[in-house]
Amino acid sequence: DAGITQSPRHKVTETGTPVTLRCHQTENHRYMYWYRQDPGHGLRLIHYSYGVKDTDKGEVSDGYSVSRSKTEDFLLTLESATSSQTSVYFCAISQSIGDREKLFFGSGTQLSVL
Amino acid sequence: AQSVTQLGSHVSVSEGALVLLRCNYSSSVPPYLFWYVQYPNQGLQLLLKYTSAATLVKGINGFEAEFKKSETSFHLTKPSAHMSDAAEYFCAVSDPSYSSASKIIFGSGTRLSIRP
């Protein structure tokens, strides 16, 4: 297994509260991604990072922010959680050389916003 | 713009039967195409990928897919289903000109069930 750890694995929170999800990698891969998975939608990219302090928006970035202060850590923050953000969140990593599309995924975080 | 459509959100086959999961893509440039598999409570794993070499691509666990440009399809097949193949399968497309996976577009997924 690729060395990707997501924390927490499960979280229940209330509408309006801030939430931070953490992704930690031990592979020294350049690229890191946050996806959300919802029934009928597959995976949708929220934000991604192409290096320390270098991030960009994905398809569904509204209501989310990210930070990457170290190569190994990529944080996803919901500033004020809403029920529409109830989802399973996956972190992924990839390299830029060779198999750049070979994404390695973490085990996911199940987030419920009540 | 690129997109991918998976036909059938749920497919059920008997153990030992042929598995066929359908994927059609839309792309303005020659695409890269992928199949990923997700087992329960796990993240996605790359099953196979097409990157403009051979049109018939072999992947792990006996799966293969054929790129058909004329039909804009990339269907996934396996001759004989095993119980362990029960999972959700995602087709994906990307633009080869990008150096990251940020432009990979995933389909909505097909859940494969195997009947004993």
Side-chain angles (χ1 to χ4, degrees):
Chain A
D1 292 344
I4 307 171
T5 304
Q6 290 186 233
S7 59
R9 290 296 311 278
H10 303 273
K11 186 168 182 67
V12 180
T13 191
E14 294 183 348
T15 298
T17 60
V19 177
T20 295
L21 308 182
R22 179 177 183 247
C23 178
H24 178 79
Q25 62 147 329
T26 58
E27 307 295 322
N28 201 36
H29 280 15
R30 177 182 177 187
Y31 294 94
M32 299 185 75
Y33 311 83
W34 276 108
Y35 291 90
R36 60 178 290 172
Q37 183 179 26
D38 304 288
H41 291 278
L43 269 73
R44 293 179 290 175
L45 182 66
I46 304 171
H47 282 280
Y48 68 101
S49 169
Y50 45 96
V52 174
K53 299 190 187 305
D54 292 325
T55 65
D56 205 347
K57 297 179 179 180
E59 178 187 358
V60 290
S61 60
D62 287 349
Y64 302 94
S65 63
V66 290
S67 65
R68 191 170 179 197
S69 59
K70 298 184 292 185
T71 297
E72 57 266 34
D73 290 325
F74 193 33
L75 304 181
L76 176 70
T77 297
L78 291 66
E79 301 291 347
S80 178
T82 67
S83 58
S84 65
Q85 293 176 312
T86 292
S87 186
V88 181
Y89 292 86
F90 286 98
C91 174
I93 63 175
S94 72
Q95 267 295 25
S96 60
I97 298 173
D99 286 334
R100 60 181 183 264
E101 293 89 5
K102 188 170 185 177
L103 290 165
F104 295 96
F105 285 83
S107 299
T109 295
Q110 174 71 60
L111 176 66
S112 297
V113 184
L114 306 179
Chain B
Q2 297 181 305
S3 66
V4 62
T5 302
Q6 292 185 239
L7 301 175
S9 59
H10 185 209
V11 171
S12 179
V13 302
S14 298
E15 191 174 17
L18 171 72
V19 174
L20 171 61
L21 304 182
R22 299 178 186 274
C23 173
N24 288 91
Y25 70 91
S26 174
S27 178
S28 57
V29 299
Y32 284 179
L33 293 159
F34 314 87
W35 277 98
Y36 281 82
V37 59
Q38 183 181 31
Y39 297 104
N41 300 313
Q42 295 185 25
L44 279 68
Q45 304 172 36
L46 182 65
L47 199 55
L48 51 81
K49 65 178 182 179
Y50 165 77
T51 56
S52 74
T55 56
L56 182 62
V57 181
K58 294 187 183 298
I60 61 174
N61 300 336
F63 284 93
E64 63 182 34
E66 186 172 9
F67 173 70
K68 292 187 177 180
K69 183 178 179 180
S70 61
E71 299 177 8
T72 61
S73 69
F74 191 58
H75 302 331
L76 182 70
T77 60
K78 182 174 181 177
S80 177
H82 295 164
M83 296 300 293
S84 60
D85 295 327
E88 187 146 19
Y89 293 79
F90 293 91
C91 183
V93 62
S94 78
D95 184 336
S97 63
Y98 288 90
S99 61
S100 77
S102 62
K103 300 301 182 183
I104 290 182
I105 304 297
F106 288 89
S108 56
T110 297
R111 182 167 300 277
L112 176 64
S113 299
I114 312 296
R115 302 187 299 271

